[in-house]
Every structure is written in structure tokens, then in C-alpha cells.
């Protein structure tokens, strides 16, 4: 039944050790998003894909990169995690078209801990 | 940075009580306002997508209103139940910011049996 799947649900990494979070969807949606949510803060958009068209938010650190090899999968790569990167990472999808009118479908998130 | 504010930050109510909370946002360039419910250990789920000033939407015991001119939306829960316990997030979509959604920090609701 799960439509947006994120693996793993919990990820522990060491300071500076690259880590990859994954997201897959069964909805065949064109748009995929990655959000970062730190404790007691609002989810913040890192980047999104419209099909293969990648859109990076201006304030997303260079340390964060993403790949979307096909419609179903999207990856978030953190090249050198710092303590400040510890957060919940949410993946979401939506149908294409007039983006604001389409609800987003979220995965359950991956909680990243950096030691 | 666009400011979407939600109040209160947290709320405890007794089972059976009705409750409401607020999402405030800049009224300029309004395009859509989304409400999501996020239960612990689950995925956020869409409740409503609101686009027109004066919109009122309802899903069971939950309803929402929208005022785009003054920049606020209310979410109402009638006769709260323990299963309504969750964080309720609103997200603003503006017409001039590509595919960018701006989320509030959420209202955490606990319904006490």
C-alpha cells in the first residue's frame, strides 16, 4: 500500500562520512521533493525535480546533492555530514500541472543522526 | 524568507472538546494553502488544498476556512478524539516562487481520553 517509501527510517552516520538517503514512489508522479526538518522547525525545501529537471533552492548547502535516475527513485546525498545536518529528511511527490493545486504525498521520513 | 506562522505551537484538549488553530501567511501572490496532518511515526497526509478566498472545506469532523485578503486559514476539529492527536502543518504556495512550498512549524495537538 505504501506509495512513497523512504529507506532507511533511521540513519546514523559519523561526522564527515558520506551518507545517502533514498526515496521511491509507486504513484508515477512527475514532481519529487526533498525537505529537511530540524527539531521544532518548519520543513524546509532543499530541492525538487520536475521530471529530470533539477531545481536547487538558493540556500541549500553545497554539501547536499540529489540524483533521480528514473521516475520512481530519488536519492539525497550528503557528502560530508556535519552535526548541524542532523534532522528529519522528508521525501514527497506530487502530480505535474499547476503545482500549488496538487497535494503532496509524503514518505515517513528518515531521521539522520550525526555522531 | 517567507514567514508562515502557526498558532498555538501545542494544544492539549479533552476528548469531545472542539478546537481550532491558525495559519497566518503573507497575502501577496497567494496561490494555494495546504493543510497536512502528521501522526507520530507516520507520513504527513494531506487534509485540504485551499485556493479561493472564502473557501470552506470539510472532511468528517475537520473543516478549514481561508481568508486570502488578510492572510489566514483556520482549522477546526469538532468533538476531538484521541486519534486526532497529531501535528497539523500548513503550507503556502505562492504564484511567483516556482514549486516552492513554505511550511509553518505546525500545531501539535494532544487529545486526552
Amino acid at each position: 500500500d505504501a506509495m512513497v517509501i523512504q529507506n532507511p527510517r533511521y540513519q546514523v552516520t559519523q561526522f564527515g562520512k558520506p551518507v545517502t538517503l533514498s526515496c521511491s514512489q509507486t504513484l508515477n508522479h512527475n514532481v519529487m521533493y526533498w525537505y529537511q526538518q530540524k527539531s521544532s522547525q518548519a520543513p524546509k525545501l532543499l530541492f525538487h525535480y520536475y521530471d529530470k529537471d533539477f531545481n536547487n533552492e538558493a540556500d541549500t548547502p553545497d554539501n547536499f546533492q540529489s540524483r533521480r535516475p528514473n521516475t520512481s527513485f530519488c536519492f539525497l546525498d550528503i557528502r560530508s555530514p556535519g552535526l548541524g545536518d542532523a534532522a528529519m529528511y522528508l521525501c514527497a511527490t506530487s502530480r505535474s500541472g499547476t503545482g500549488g493545486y496538487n497535494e503532496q504525498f509524503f514518505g515517513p521520513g528518515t531521521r539522520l543522526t550525526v555522531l | 524568507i517567507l514567514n508562515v506562522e502557526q498558532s498555538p505551537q501545542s494544544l492539549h484538549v479533552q476528548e469531545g472538546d472542539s478546537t481550532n488553530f491558525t495559519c497566518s501567511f503573507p497575502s501577496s501572490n497567494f496561490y494555494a494553502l495546504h493543510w497536512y496532518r502528521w501522526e507520530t511515526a507516520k507520513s504527513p497526509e494531506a487534509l485540504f488544498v485551499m485556493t479561493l478566498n472564502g473557501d470552506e472545506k470539510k472532511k468528517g469532523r475537520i473543516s478549514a476556512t481561508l481568508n486570502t485578503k488578510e492572510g489566514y486559514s483556520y482549522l477546526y476539529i469538532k468533538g476531538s478524539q484521541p486519534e486526532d492527536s497529531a501535528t497539523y502543518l500548513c503550507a503556502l504556495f505562492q504564484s511567483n516562487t516556482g514549486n516552492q512550498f513554505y511550511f509553518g512549524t505546525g500545531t501539535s495537538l494532544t487529545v486526552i481520553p
Side-chain angles (χ1 to χ4, degrees), chain B residues 16-78:
Chain B
D17 286 352
S18 295
T19 187
N20 66 85
F21 22 94
T22 306
C23 174
S24 303
F25 51 86
S27 55
S28 58
N29 301 310
F30 177 87
Y31 197 85
L33 192 284
H34 293 212
W35 281 100
Y36 292 89
R37 174 169 61 198
W38 193 1
E39 295 179 64
T40 303
K42 294 187 178 180
S43 306
E45 286 186 329
L47 287 171
F48 305 113
V49 177
M50 309 186 78
T51 56
L52 297 175
N53 185 44
D55 248 358
E56 182 167 343
K57 297 206 172 183
K58 190 174 179 183
K59 186 182 286 190
R61 294 178 291 99
I62 304 178
S63 60
T65 60
L66 178 66
N67 183 324
T68 61
K69 296 191 186 310
E70 295 181 39
Y72 63 84
S73 176
Y74 294 139
L75 191 80
Y76 300 91
I77 303 178
K78 185 177 177 183

Side-chain angles (χ1 to χ4, degrees), chain A residues 4 9 31 33 35 37 40-43 45 48 50 57 88 90 98-108, chain B residues 1 9 31-34 36 38 41-46 49 51 89 91 93 98-105:
Chain A
V4 182
R9 294 289 302 272
V31 190
Y33 305 83
Y35 290 92
Q37 187 191 30
S40 301
Q41 296 184 20
L45 185 66
H48 73 277
Y50 193 110
E57 296 306 309
M88 173 72 84
L90 288 165
T98 44
Y101 290 168
N102 296 325
E103 65 184 88
Q104 294 181 80
F105 293 80
F106 284 87
Chain B
I1 294 177
Q9 190 173 11
Y31 197 85
L33 192 284
H34 293 212
Y36 292 89
W38 193 1
K42 294 187 178 180
S43 306
E45 286 186 329
V49 177
T51 56
L89 291 164
F93 191 98
N99 271 321
Q100 169 77 287
F101 282 91
Y102 294 91
F103 278 84
T105 54

Side-chain angles (χ1 to χ4, degrees), chain A residues 76-97:
Chain A
L76 170 61
D77 301 307
I78 309 177
R79 288 192 294 185
S80 181
L83 298 178
D85 296 328
M88 173 72 84
Y89 290 87
L90 288 165
C91 174
T93 72
S94 69
R95 291 192 305 275
S96 59

Side-chain angles (χ1 to χ4, degrees), chain A residues 30 48-55 67-71:
Chain A
N30 296 76
H48 73 277
Y49 283 90
Y50 193 110
D51 292 323
K52 283 194 171 286
D53 185 19
F54 176 70
N55 297 272
R67 297 169 281 136
R68 189 180 185 184
N70 54 51
T71 300

Side-chain angles (χ1 to χ4, degrees), chain A residues 13-83:
Chain A
T13 191
Q14 290 180 331
F15 184 95
K17 186 175 179 182
V19 66
T20 294
L21 309 182
S22 74
C23 176
S24 62
Q25 55 137 333
T26 59
L27 297 163
N28 205 35
H29 284 169
N30 296 76
V31 190
M32 292 187 81
Y33 305 83
W34 277 107
Y35 290 92
Q36 178 194 60
Q37 187 191 30
K38 296 185 178 180
S39 182
S40 301
Q41 296 184 20
K44 180 182 174 300
L45 185 66
L46 295 172
F47 17 64
H48 73 277
Y49 283 90
Y50 193 110
D51 292 323
K52 283 194 171 286
D53 185 19
F54 176 70
N55 297 272
N56 195 32
E57 296 306 309
D59 55 356
T60 299
D62 291 340
N63 198 25
F64 290 81
Q65 297 189 337
S66 184
R67 297 169 281 136
R68 189 180 185 184
N70 54 51
T71 300
S72 301
F73 287 88
C74 195
F75 300 97
L76 170 61
D77 301 307
I78 309 177
R79 288 192 294 185
S80 181
L83 298 178

